[in-house]
Amino acid sequence: MFGLSMLYYWLAYFIVTMIGVLHTIFNIKVLHMGTMKDDPGMGEGYEKTRPWHPLYNIIIFPLFAWLYLRAVGDATLDDAILTTLIWGTLTIIFDLFGWVIIKHPWSLSWKEFYIDYQPWITLTYLVIYLSPLLAFFALTVL
């Protein structure tokens, strides 16, 4: 069921990323906050979204983990643990390439992503790692 796991994972990742991007755009266009060109780092419009990132993830990732584990049918704790390891580790690796190594207008330096983004990035990764376990326990209790 690896393919199905990846489908749910990438849907969750895409939705969370789009919410973050749209939140940043909202801050800049509607609330008239500064952009990368106006302010240091990613700009005020992005900086104000950072505390919200773990919240986006704690809503979306457990939901998609729950949908995935429910689709598996008779999911076991081993399934949840394996999903936890794959989803969390894949996120860390993909973020490294997608936000730091590959340069684009919204890319960050190592320091900006791993130091300046604390505690939000750590909380986000914790949420993603815990999501399949939370979903498994929700399935077994509900």
Side-chain angles (χ1 to χ4, degrees), residues 28-49:
I28 293 167
K29 297 291 185 186
V30 176
L31 301 180
H32 307 291
M33 293 182 185
T35 66
M36 291 171 62
K37 296 173 188 170
D38 305 325
D39 298 321
M42 291 293 288
E44 181 188 20
Y46 168 77
E47 297 296 327
K48 295 290 186 180
T49 69

Side-chain angles (χ1 to χ4, degrees), residues 58 112 140:
I58 206 163
E112 288 170 325
T140 58

Side-chain angles (χ1 to χ4, degrees), residues 19-139:
I19 291 170
V21 168
L22 292 172
H23 190 176
T24 300
I25 292 169
F26 176 84
N27 285 353
I28 293 167
K29 297 291 185 186
V30 176
L31 301 180
H32 307 291
M33 293 182 185
T35 66
M36 291 171 62
K37 296 173 188 170
D38 305 325
D39 298 321
M42 291 293 288
E44 181 188 20
Y46 168 77
E47 297 296 327
K48 295 290 186 180
T49 69
R50 293 186 334 170
W52 293 90
H53 295 179
L55 182 61
Y56 309 150
N57 284 278
I58 206 163
I59 293 168
I60 301 300
F61 269 93
L63 172 64
F64 278 79
W66 181 82
L67 290 169
Y68 165 65
L69 292 172
R70 196 180 74 171
V72 167
D74 210 8
T76 66
L77 181 57
D78 288 343
D79 295 326
I81 291 170
L82 182 60
T83 304
T84 287
L85 294 172
I86 292 170
W87 285 21
T89 306
L90 185 58
T91 301
I92 290 171
I93 293 168
F94 190 75
D95 281 355
L96 171 64
F97 282 91
W99 297 108
V100 178
I101 293 176
I102 299 171
K103 299 302 176 199
H104 53 82
W106 287 27
S107 64
L108 300 167
S109 70
W110 286 83
K111 181 182 178 294
E112 288 170 325
F113 196 75
Y114 295 106
I115 306 297
D116 298 343
Y117 191 14
Q118 293 298 336
W120 314 117
I121 190 63
T122 298
L123 291 172
T124 297
Y125 288 155
L126 243 157
V127 164
I128 293 170
Y129 268 108
L130 291 175
S131 291
L133 295 174
L134 293 171
F136 175 76
F137 288 114
L139 280 172

